[in-house]
Amino acid sequence: MSNFLIPSPQLYLAPMQGLVDDVMRTILTQLGGFDACVTEFVRITHTVHSRATWLKYMPELANNGLTPAGTPVTMQLLGSDEENMAVNALNAVACGVDRIDLNFGCPAPTVNRHEGGAVLLRNPHKIESIVRTLRQRLPEKVMLSAKMRLGYDNKNLALACAQAIEAGGAQLLTVHARTKVEGYRPPAHWSWLAKIRQNVHLPMVANGDVFSLHDYRLIRDISGCDDVMLGRGAVMIPDLARQIANDNAGKSVMPLSWDDLLPWIAHFFQLCRYKSDNPKFAVARLKQWLGMMKSVYPPALILFERIRTLQQHDAIAIVLRDGANHSEIQS
Ligand SMILES: Cc1cc2nc3c(=O)[nH]c(=O)nc-3n(C[C@H](O)[C@H](O)[C@H](O)COP(=O)(O)O)c2cc1C
């Protein structure tokens, strides 16, 4: 098995279905600080996905699997039928994918009813079988990782699941420090990450509730993991990864102001306009992002209110362009 030597500390952008698509990856990796990112999960059921599907989830395949900023993208798969997952994974590899991540944490009822995602955390043997099958069938050069929660309704099998992922032959493990039933409710149990880290030997990425540089330092201290994945915090504070990377490099940390962020938001809106023929798409994505930023940047709420009733893209683009000139939405 080839050795995947990844220098630490690595900073990963979390997979977030409906939130971190290629457009968000483009913006956040251009803002800087991330070493790698992951697609939204691709559900594997009975069929074999076409090239068009892989490209839909990962348009970066047209750019050698890199975002425009040059950040590598991993394809995430979710399923429970190891044979069909292997066939699909090989098919994705034939389309250019060279990093595959397995989802053992999705809480969605539809997914769990079909034995995918977090429900598998009740069955470490099945997890091991899925990881092993994929590792055996994929070319050595393809990096295989897995992402898990601490359990389904309790944490009794957390270590067993992590060890199953290691025994199956994955090269990297990300742990979101909550069970499925804990959803996204604080707190994330960072001390559990330390327990797992002490019991597995593969590189481990700590994940859950990092919303500041302070949280980042704390999760590393408590978990003992050098590598960290940022999810919602990266969307709410778009330069959080850049702040962290600068701090790790011993550089000064100057958070971006709201005025600094406005051109990025306008660029995001433009990219969303190009991405979909559905005129509602770009508006919905813009509102979604502003909605997440408003707890950190009060001007985001004012901007949200200003565009709330607008439907015309051009009118919204003008508000975004002129945003910085309106005193009431300056930070
Ligand atoms: C809207 C949303 C969608 C998500 N979609 C995925 C997904 O597709 N695959 C996955 O492994 N995790 C998914 N997650 C979980 C995140 O990757 C991450 O583990 C979780 O949000 C905890 O990290 P955070 O506290 O930094 O957000 C999702 C989370 C959210 C909030």
Side-chain angles (χ1 to χ4, degrees):
M1 186 60 54
S2 54
N3 206 1
F4 291 90
L5 271 180
I6 310 167
S8 277
Q10 292 278 302
L11 203 49
Y12 294 90
L13 174 58
M16 288 196 278
Q17 200 249 331
L19 186 59
V20 177
D21 62 348
D22 60 306
V23 173
M24 189 60 93
R25 288 194 291 272
T26 295
I27 297 292
L28 295 183
T29 60
Q30 253 162 12
L31 271 159
F34 284 111
D35 298 294
C37 46
V38 188
T39 66
E40 300 159 275
F41 69 78
V42 182
R43 220 173 129 198
I44 309 294
T45 50
H46 319 293
T47 52
V48 180
H49 290 307
S50 65
R51 183 180 168 76
T53 302
W54 301 119
L55 267 166
K56 184 177 108 191
Y57 281 92
M58 189 170 152
E60 293 93 342
L61 282 173
N63 186 37
N64 289 324
L66 304 172
T67 67
T71 311
V73 186
T74 297
M75 180 77 82
Q76 190 183 66
L77 305 185
L78 182 152
S80 57
D81 173 347
E82 44 273 73
E83 263 313 303
N84 203 28
M85 288 176 79
V87 172
N88 271 282
L90 281 167
N91 194 278
V93 169
C95 294
V97 169
D98 62 0
R99 297 166 173 230
I100 289 187
D101 186 65
L102 302 173
N103 179 319
F104 300 121
C106 179
T110 335
V111 163
N112 286 193
R113 255 198 313 279
H114 293 89
E115 298 297 308
V119 79
L120 291 167
L121 297 167
R122 288 171 159 164
N123 188 347
H125 295 297
K126 180 72 173 168
I127 286 182
E128 182 173 337
S129 166
I130 294 173
V131 178
R132 189 181 301 284
T133 304
L134 267 85
R135 186 60 282 171
Q136 285 173 348
R137 300 277 288 279
L138 286 169
E140 276 191 21
K141 67 173 170 53
V142 176
M143 163 133 154
L144 183 65
S145 57
K147 181 165 178 282
M148 58 176 272
R149 284 182 178 244
L150 295 176
Y152 190 83
D153 46 13
N154 63 59
K155 303 176 184 67
N156 297 346
L157 293 174
L159 291 184
C161 288
Q163 286 166 338
I165 288 167
E166 177 169 41
Q171 276 76 50
L172 184 73
L173 167 65
T174 302
V175 184
H176 172 193
R178 287 189 181 88
T179 63
K180 182 261 177 196
V181 297
E182 286 167 348
Y184 294 96
R185 272 194 317 280
H189 306 281
W190 293 342
S191 56
W192 265 93
L193 301 174
K195 284 189 208 178
I196 295 176
R197 206 190 81 86
Q198 285 151 15
N199 285 278
V200 296
H201 306 284
L202 77 175
M204 187 174 142
V205 183
N207 170 240
D209 282 7
V210 175
F211 296 106
S212 65
L213 185 54
H214 176 73
D215 292 342
Y216 170 79
R217 291 186 185 133
L218 219 53
I219 198 174
R220 281 186 61 176
D221 275 1
I222 294 174
S223 69
C225 298
D226 288 333
D227 302 335
V228 174
M229 177 177 273
L230 307 180
R232 292 160 298 165
V235 179
M236 292 161 69
I237 306 144
D239 66 330
L240 180 58
R242 173 147 95 179
Q243 293 180 31
I244 291 170
N246 280 344
D247 191 59
N248 283 341
K251 297 183 191 158
S252 64
V253 176
M254 278 288 290
L256 295 185
S257 68
W258 179 250
D259 285 354
D260 296 329
L261 287 173
L262 273 171
W264 293 95
I265 298 168
H267 186 38
F268 171 81
F269 183 62
Q270 282 302 343
L271 293 178
C272 287
R273 287 175 76 178
Y274 294 136
K275 177 168 169 160
S276 173
D277 292 339
N278 179 352
K280 292 188 175 155
F281 175 77
V283 181
R285 295 300 307 282
L286 176 64
K287 286 182 179 168
Q288 179 191 39
W289 197 15
L290 292 175
M292 287 187 74
M293 285 194 283
K294 66 179 193 266
S295 61
V296 183
Y297 308 93
L301 178 60
I302 298 169
L303 190 53
F304 184 96
E305 287 301 328
R306 189 169 287 159
I307 61 160
R308 199 167 52 86
T309 51
L310 298 177
Q311 296 300 329
Q312 294 298 322
H313 283 182
D314 288 341
I316 294 173
I318 288 170
V319 172
L320 291 173
R321 192 194 61 206
D322 293 346
N325 300 323
H326 290 271
S327 56
E328 77 265 36
I329 65 166
Q330 281 183 0
S331 51

